Amino acid sequence: MRELVSRAIERFLQSESSYLVESDLLPPDVMLRTAARDLQKPLDELVEDLGAWLVRQNEIWRLLRFCGSDFLDFLLRLDELPERMRLVTDDIAFPEIALTRGKDGLVWVTLESGSPRWSALLSGLLRAMADDYGALCVITRGDDGIRIDVSDLDFAEARTFRLSARTAAP
Amino acid sequence: MTHALTLCRDALDRLMPMHLCLSDDGTIRFAGPTMRKLIPQGAQQAGDVFVGTSSHAQGCVMSLIRAAVAGQRLSLRLRHHPQLVLRGHVVAPGFGTLLLDLGFGVTLSDAVAVLGLTENDFAPTGLALELMFLQEANRAIQGELARFNRHLMLARQDAEREAHTDPLTGILNRRGLLAALRQMLDPRDGQPFAVVHLDLDNFKQVNDRLGHPVGDQLLKEVARILGRMTRSHDHAARLGGDEFVLVLGGNWSCQTLDGMGMRIIRGIEQLSPGDCKVSASLGIVLSAGYGPNDIDRLLADSDVALYASKRGGKGRVSVAPQPVDCAVRPHQGP
């Protein structure tokens, strides 16, 4: 599984910037750190791009769309995500996700271990998923979590998702 | 205090979207929203929707359903989508009715594809979506692993080929030759063969007088000549310097080998650059009498035969005598 993660990151870096990656499958953080330095981009920004790139990979996109019928549903069930990951593999230590919903409708997402990388990855992923569901929202990443302010769930048409991968896309 | 509970159809629809209510005689009374998608237009009876799952139970859907009231698991095939088998259970709540609740079981993903079902077709208590999620996740990982394995296998093949190849000439190196000999001496392979050990004569002069690039070019051309001598199961190798080995499958006779050796020598002499008078000395050994653990002895014996040629005045072929413990074979060509 680790090799697959490294390979995904390798492919992301290649697609992002035609960045030349050593193909010897270095650990993910080493690859990302080196690439961020070479591309003169803040590491967290690169990791956010990785989160958005993941959503553009068809298989991963489909798995994510299984997790919610619209963006709010997806958001409010985000705390299921680590458990879903563990259904699939024990090999990735995914931090627990906690959700709080304020009276003002704001959703706060906090990660258990407070890892800034996971937080960056998740905010990139959330931005891309909001786009995918056609929701309009403001996503702000702070030191203590991610703040999501959903202003319009049906701002644009959601990308069509069918439960069966075998049904032809429109 | 009564323990009975009355549910309106709306509540039944939400709790069990795949329920089906039948009269005792099998007439369909009502069905949940997902079940309604499975009932063909105009169907009146349970038998219009289902068939039994095994051939001996055909035509008696109602007796299967009635029998399951006692508590057995019920298994029914859809008449119009025979690949879909539903499983469930049935209760008799009275009023001359039977209430069935069914699910797709292992045919779930087929059902979702065939019927175009959505998340709303399943009760939230069911694990249908989780099952489909897992199935897709597994497929994605398996596909990725298969690609990854293929990538590794190709890389390994490349590395192996490189480790067995002489970079200058592109024919086998010593390691490649040893691997080929190991394989050919394997008793399961069992084919006889000849080992032709070849050393160039006067090659040092080419390097000294005309320079190493000319020497390298000559080595490449010798390799090309030897490569042309080999058929699909033969091997040509360069052991380093100006020393080459041919492994030729077949039951060779001394005369044939002698003639072939002389052809190689003439071919090499024609390549000789300038007036260096390059030629070759050959020592040949037949594989009869050598086992899988005798590779070193085989190569040493071919080396002895090669030096007999060198001592005999170069530009000639020597065939090593057969080991004494080996039965005398008739000399035949391949």
Side-chain angles (χ1 to χ4, degrees), chain B residues 180-193 287 289-295:
Chain B
L181 284 175
R182 253 193 307 277
Q183 201 188 344
M184 292 186 85
L185 284 170
D186 189 325
R188 282 165 298 185
D189 213 7
Q191 291 297 313
F193 60 92
S287 67
Y290 296 94
N293 300 319
D294 301 331
I295 294 179

Side-chain angles (χ1 to χ4, degrees), chain A residues 1 3-4 7 11 23 25 59 62-69 73 77 80 84-85 87-89 161-167, chain B residues 109-114 116-120 122 128-130 132-141 144-145 147-148 151-152:
Chain A
M1 205 59 202
E3 289 79 9
L4 296 192
R7 211 175 96 90
R11 272 173 51 200
S23 62
L25 298 174
E59 288 99 335
R62 283 193 53 82
L63 292 177
L64 288 168
R65 284 292 295 261
F66 268 105
C67 305
S69 53
D73 188 34
R77 285 164 63 187
E80 283 181 7
R84 276 185 188 271
M85 293 285 285
L87 267 184
V88 178
T89 173
F161 169 72
R162 293 201 168 89
L163 282 190
S164 171
R166 279 177 282 166
T167 335
Chain B
S109 57
D110 275 345
V112 171
V114 169
L117 301 178
T118 71
E119 183 173 5
N120 301 328
F122 298 98
L129 264 76
E130 283 73 12
M132 296 205 63
F133 172 88
L134 255 186
Q135 191 185 23
E136 285 211 19
N138 270 338
R139 252 195 218 146
I141 290 176
E144 206 50 38
L145 279 178
R147 264 193 288 280
F148 188 69
H151 183 80
L152 283 185

Side-chain angles (χ1 to χ4, degrees), chain B residues 10 20 52 66-68 76 79 81 133 158 181 185 188 211 214 276 278 310 316:
Chain B
D10 268 358
L20 177 65
R66 282 190 205 100
L76 296 170
R79 184 177 284 282
H81 298 289
F133 172 88
D158 276 356
L181 284 175
L185 284 170
R188 282 165 298 185
V214 178
C276 290
V278 170
K310 287 265 186 205
R316 62 183 65 205

Side-chain angles (χ1 to χ4, degrees), chain B residues 5 13 15 63 159 244 285 303:
Chain B
L5 179 67
D13 280 359
L15 287 175
S63 51
F244 294 84
V285 169
D303 206 38

